[in-house]
Amino acid sequence: DIVMTQSPGTLSVSPGERATLSCRASQSVITNLAWYQQKPGQAPRLLIHGASTRATGIPARFSGGGSGTEFTLTISSLQSEDVAVYYCQQYHNWWTFGQGTKVEIK
Amino acid sequence: QVQLVESGGGVVQPGGSLRLSCAASGFTFSTYAMHWVRQAPGKGLEWVAFIHSDGTIKYYADSVKGRFTISRDDSKNTLYLQMNSLRAEDTAVYYCAKGARYSYDAFDIWGQGTMVTVSS
């Protein structure tokens, strides 16, 4: 099984500042990597697929990068509505999620 | 609009059974792979099961293999999860999710979830 490891566990960022989340795969997933946002009490929402392609309707401040085993999700200017838990997921070999990174306002 | 609505959750005793349903609308259900994903209280996301668009290929997480069965009825635009021999560790919110463009792809649409509690 491919294990996905996210860091940090919690990220505190001031409004308008940049937030960078990391995700590492235990083996190469090429670019078969997605990012999801889950706000409290809500279902997850697809943000990024193919490691760097924004899903429909996702604001441009969200960007994804990386390939192979190392990936990042960047929120260029954090807004209050971005407070959520973010999960990475590989879909190269079945489907596995990282443990999540909680983003909060500093 | 594109929508998935789960139902069938509830409280069940250990060893019991439950069948979840997921009603799809707003897209051609029969042409997409579908999944079940669960989330235990306060925990992260765990993929549970996959069914190909043609209904013949099914995959399961090791944690549910042999106990859960995924199926679909394209005439009713509905996805199912039959859960047998339930355990306390199966307690979670269960989400159905639509595969994106390809069979082995990200999940682009999610339902709101249905809660399953396994407790005596």
Side-chain angles (χ1 to χ4, degrees):
Chain A
D1 292 4
I2 299 177
V3 177
M4 308 301 292
T5 303
Q6 293 185 240
S7 60
T10 302
L11 187 60
S12 296
V13 179
S14 299
E17 295 299 304
R18 177 186 300 263
T20 302
L21 291 67
S22 296
C23 176
R24 174 177 292 178
S26 60
Q27 63 189 78
S28 177
V29 298
I30 313 179
T31 55
N32 296 314
L33 191 285
W35 289 94
Y36 299 87
Q37 176 193 65
Q38 187 177 33
K39 297 181 179 181
Q42 296 186 17
R45 176 175 71 149
L46 178 65
L47 295 178
I48 300 285
H49 61 95
S52 60
T53 302
R54 276 189 303 276
T56 302
I58 301 304
R61 64 180 182 274
F62 291 93
S63 63
S67 65
T69 61
E70 300 286 342
F71 301 90
T72 58
L73 174 69
T74 301
I75 309 173
S76 61
S77 177
L78 191 75
Q79 308 297 307
S80 58
E81 61 264 34
D82 300 334
V83 169
V85 178
Y86 293 83
Y87 295 94
C88 64
Q89 176 209 39
Q90 67 81 19
Y91 50 94
H92 182 66
N93 184 351
W94 292 29
W95 302 267
T96 50
F97 293 92
Q99 79 277 22
T101 290
K102 182 178 181 180
V103 174
E104 59 184 32
I105 297 289
K106 183 185 288 184
Chain B
Q1 74 280 22
V2 178
Q3 194 173 7
L4 298 171
V5 178
E6 301 94 337
S7 61
V11 180
V12 61
Q13 292 187 339
S17 298
L18 213 55
R19 189 178 83 154
L20 306 182
S21 300
C22 170
S25 59
F27 65 99
T28 307
F29 179 74
S30 62
T31 63
Y32 289 95
M34 297 294 296
H35 300 260
W36 287 98
V37 177
R38 68 184 180 184
Q39 186 170 36
K43 302 298 184 181
L45 301 170
E46 178 188 17
W47 170 79
V48 172
F50 157 92
I51 185 167
H52 194 275
S53 57
D54 65 11
T56 61
I57 301 173
K58 304 175 184 181
Y59 299 136
Y60 299 92
D62 287 344
S63 58
V64 307
K65 197 174 300 181
R67 301 187 298 122
F68 290 12
T69 302
I70 189 171
S71 62
R72 63 191 299 158
D73 185 337
D74 291 346
S75 69
K76 296 181 178 179
N77 289 340
T78 302
L79 176 73
Y80 301 101
L81 185 68
Q82 177 66 43
M83 304 186 296
N84 298 331
S85 303
L86 283 162
R87 306 166 180 168
E89 55 265 35
D90 296 318
T91 294
V93 174
Y94 284 74
Y95 297 100
C96 62
K98 170 184 167 290
R101 185 174 181 183
Y102 304 106
S103 293
Y104 305 98
D105 207 337
F107 307 162
D108 62 349
I109 303 295
W110 296 64
Q112 85 289 350
T114 187
M115 183 70 203
V116 172
T117 302
V118 183
S119 175
S120 55

